[in-house]
Amino acid sequence: MKVVSLTAAALAGSASAHTIFQKLYVNGVDQGQLTGIRAPDYDGPITDVTSNDIICNGGINPYHQPVSQAVIDVPAGATVTAEWHHTLDQQPNDPTDPIDASHKGPIISYLAKVQDATDMDVTGLQWFKIYEDGLTVSDQTWAVDRLIANKGKVTFQIPSCIESGQYLLRHEIIALHAASSYPGAQFYMECAQINITGGSGSKSPATVPFPGAYHGTDPGIKINIYQTLNNYTIPDEFHALCEDLVFSATESRKSHQTSVNSCSDRGAFPEKKMMYQTTYDKRQFLLSSV
Ligand SMILES: [Cu+2]
């Protein structure tokens, strides 16, 4: 009963406190508001994981027009920062900027190789995850808590080992405040149009489709977060891509480097995944050796 009332309160208090990814930094350099990013005018979520809207948004939430024709150059291995705000026309002193604090959940980034990053047809693309941040079990803090502490900014790295060329960067928050049943989890995502330069091109990542990568029954999508969680499983398994994979423990801020033999060896991964779920909350490809 207590859980139900908390959920209802969270819903009622934040029905419109959504968010939009609207700016990208490359190695700390601001690329400009909405430059190379397909962002809707309305900040509402996608809730149907089987909808094409789960790819890059823009369906039920039509894109702000005109959509940027820019393709952002990103050196392979670069550090990029995504910046989120509550609305496109962000007002000062908004207590729900970058997102309402109730909207707890993971933050995830994917890439898909494309011929032309300005092509608006995003169906049929194959995506690979390059970053995820979920729950820190020790203090029950979420990626979204860290996002708010960082004033809407999420920093991660573009892998150095992938093919150069044009990609879509799908950057996503999954808000779990109403996720006890499905549909309920709120998916916020925008896609940035990037051109990766200088990649070594030696690795072929394991990919997933959107829609298809997520399911309404996934334990990371249908979940009651109003309880102490001993683990949290971020949707879609994280596959090793480059040789070096960093496990970054938020509670201690120490990093571990783990070698993985194969970039797509799902069989060898469960042990690390288990360790990750219980100890680590963030995964990130490493651009150079630690
Ligand atoms: Cu919201």
Side-chain angles (χ1 to χ4, degrees):
M1 289 303 112
K2 188 179 179 185
V3 163
V4 171
S5 64
L6 270 171
T7 306
L11 271 171
S14 56
S16 63
H18 311 308
T19 193
I20 299 172
F21 158 42
Q22 49 196 267
K23 186 186 280 192
L24 191 72
Y25 300 73
V26 178
N27 286 329
V29 178
D30 183 348
Q31 302 297 304
Q33 173 76 359
L34 290 187
T35 300
I37 300 174
R38 307 166 181 195
D41 285 302
Y42 179 60
D43 59 359
I46 306 303
T47 57
D48 180 358
V49 298
T50 69
S51 162
N52 281 341
D53 291 356
I54 201 78
I55 309 171
C56 287
N57 210 328
I60 62 170
N61 305 319
Y63 290 134
H64 182 81
Q65 296 294 328
V67 173
S68 175
Q69 292 297 295
V71 179
I72 301 170
D73 282 330
V74 181
T79 296
V80 296
T81 301
E83 185 168 338
W84 296 78
H85 288 292
H86 178 195
T87 60
L88 278 192
D89 57 337
Q90 188 56 52
Q91 304 301 309
N93 306 315
D94 175 355
T96 59
D97 178 52
I99 189 171
D100 190 89
S102 68
H103 284 39
K104 298 183 187 308
I107 299 179
I108 307 169
S109 298
Y110 285 90
L111 291 176
K113 187 84 175 67
V114 294
Q115 288 293 319
D116 175 359
T118 64
D119 187 342
M120 296 309 288
D121 181 7
V122 293
T123 58
L125 298 178
Q126 291 294 315
W127 299 86
F128 55 97
K129 187 185 283 187
I130 60 168
Y131 173 82
E132 62 178 11
D133 182 12
L135 174 72
T136 301
V137 170
S138 60
D139 61 4
Q140 299 285 294
T141 57
W142 292 88
V144 165
D145 297 311
R146 290 179 273 283
L147 173 85
I148 293 170
N150 287 326
K151 302 188 185 311
K153 291 181 177 176
V154 184
T155 295
F156 52 95
Q157 284 171 323
I158 299 298
S160 58
C161 62
I162 56 173
E163 194 182 349
S164 293
Q166 303 209 356
Y167 288 80
L168 289 177
L169 166 64
R170 179 183 178 279
H171 184 58
E172 173 181 46
I173 293 173
I174 308 177
L176 299 170
H177 54 294
S180 295
S181 59
Y182 176 84
Q186 298 185 348
F187 300 80
Y188 298 92
M189 84 295 299
E190 275 72 42
C191 290
Q193 304 160 177
I194 68 172
N195 179 43
I196 297 180
T197 61
S200 62
S202 60
K203 300 290 182 181
S204 295
T207 59
V208 291
F210 278 104
Y214 297 167
H215 307 88
T217 52
D218 288 348
I221 290 176
K222 182 179 178 296
I223 181 175
N224 169 21
I225 62 166
Y226 300 99
Q227 57 182 321
T228 300
L229 297 170
N230 295 318
N231 61 65
Y232 171 73
T233 306
I234 297 170
D236 180 35
E237 187 180 350
F238 191 97
H239 303 290
L241 170 58
C242 300
E243 245 182 17
D244 300 328
L245 181 64
V246 163
F247 295 74
S248 173
T250 297
E251 52 260 82
S252 63
R253 289 292 171 199
K254 65 186 178 187
S255 294
H256 298 253
Q257 185 170 1
T258 303
S259 287
V260 284
N261 298 325
S262 164
C263 61
S264 59
D265 188 353
R266 295 170 183 237
F269 215 61
E271 191 179 345
K272 295 191 184 76
K273 181 76 174 174
M274 186 67 75
M275 181 175 73
Y276 161 72
Q277 285 174 4
T278 54
T279 310
Y280 304 107
D281 76 320
K282 187 182 289 191
R283 286 181 169 194
Q284 169 71 66
F285 292 112
L286 187 63
L287 86 108
S288 57
S289 56
V290 280

